[in-house]
Amino acid sequence: MKHILLASLILSAGAAAHAQDTIATDRPDFVESSNVVGKGRAQVETSALLERNRDGAARDRTIAMPTLLRYGIGETVELRVETDARSIARHSEGGRRQTEAGYADTALGLKWHTMDAAGALPSVGVLLHADLDSGSRAFRGRGLRPSLRVVGEWELPDDYALGIMPGVGIERDEGGRYRYGILGVVLGKSFGERLRGFVEVALPQVARSAHGGTQASFDIGGAYLLSDSVQVDLMFSRGLNSRTADQAFTIGLSFKR
């Protein structure tokens, strides 16, 4: 609730001063957009997420509400606040069931749009985030965990688009700090001015097996513009290895002022 109130206050402050333009979101795909929202503009991207995983006799199900608040502090720089918000994790095995509920950690970040597309050169954005150990005990990470990602986007013939996002992050586990890689590749297609679809391969963590190994998924989804400032979207994800949730589904709503 506190995240929704914060978003509403910022949106109300900026609504009277700024004209509308077409919304461009970072969701629902894993690869971020290289664009920013613009100076004095605010954008909220929220959703519901369901993940399911099966490992032998064990069953896991997680429900969360991933939410991203973006606010333009300059024409090429935006401030970002991101969280999975209210989360519920259910585990069952051998007739035993366990449920954990609470709030996920919050991440603070900046995105810098460094370059517009020019010829064969892509549109480029740089994202610096830091996850804070601010959530409920069941969902809290260990300390400050920074990450750096770079996004390149190419416009292709026939309304196709290609996005590539490499990155690196620092995480903590029982053994201490470790580095991990990040990689996402997405191919999108526009169907008219309001509908777009995409397929992608996402690797949110590339790490040694001692630190959880590599997580990888194949994603497919789409987004539809209800208006120039409101978007709905959905995505289905299939895990590509045993370290990734078997299935995930998300449905989202984004709006901009």
Side-chain angles (χ1 to χ4, degrees), residues 17 37 43-44 46 48 51-52 73 75 114 161 187 237 241-242 255:
V37 296
Q43 186 164 306
V44 176
T46 189
E51 287 186 349
R52 292 181 176 180
I73 57 176
E75 290 301 335
T114 63
L187 179 65
S237 179
N241 60 25
S242 61
F255 52 95

Side-chain angles (χ1 to χ4, degrees), residues 164-257:
I164 300 177
M165 185 180 72
V168 64
I170 296 176
E171 187 56 86
R172 297 171 185 262
D173 59 15
E174 294 83 354
R177 297 172 57 186
Y178 67 90
R179 297 184 184 88
Y180 65 93
I182 301 168
L183 181 62
V185 180
V186 61
L187 179 65
K189 166 72 172 176
S190 295
F191 302 93
E193 295 182 354
R194 296 196 175 274
L195 177 64
R196 70 177 179 92
F198 67 88
V199 294
E200 75 174 350
V201 174
L203 289 82
Q205 175 173 292
V206 181
R208 296 178 179 179
S209 57
H211 301 300
T214 296
Q215 300 171 5
S217 67
F218 174 78
D219 310 329
I220 184 169
Y224 183 78
L225 292 176
L226 297 177
S227 70
D228 286 346
S229 58
V230 181
Q231 174 187 284
V232 292
D233 61 64
L234 55 84
M235 183 182 76
F236 175 78
S237 179
R238 180 73 176 177
L240 297 178
N241 60 25
S242 61
R243 300 182 181 93
T244 311
D246 293 338
Q247 298 176 351
F249 177 77
T250 181
I251 182 168
L253 172 68
S254 303
F255 52 95
K256 179 177 182 177
R257 291 292 181 90

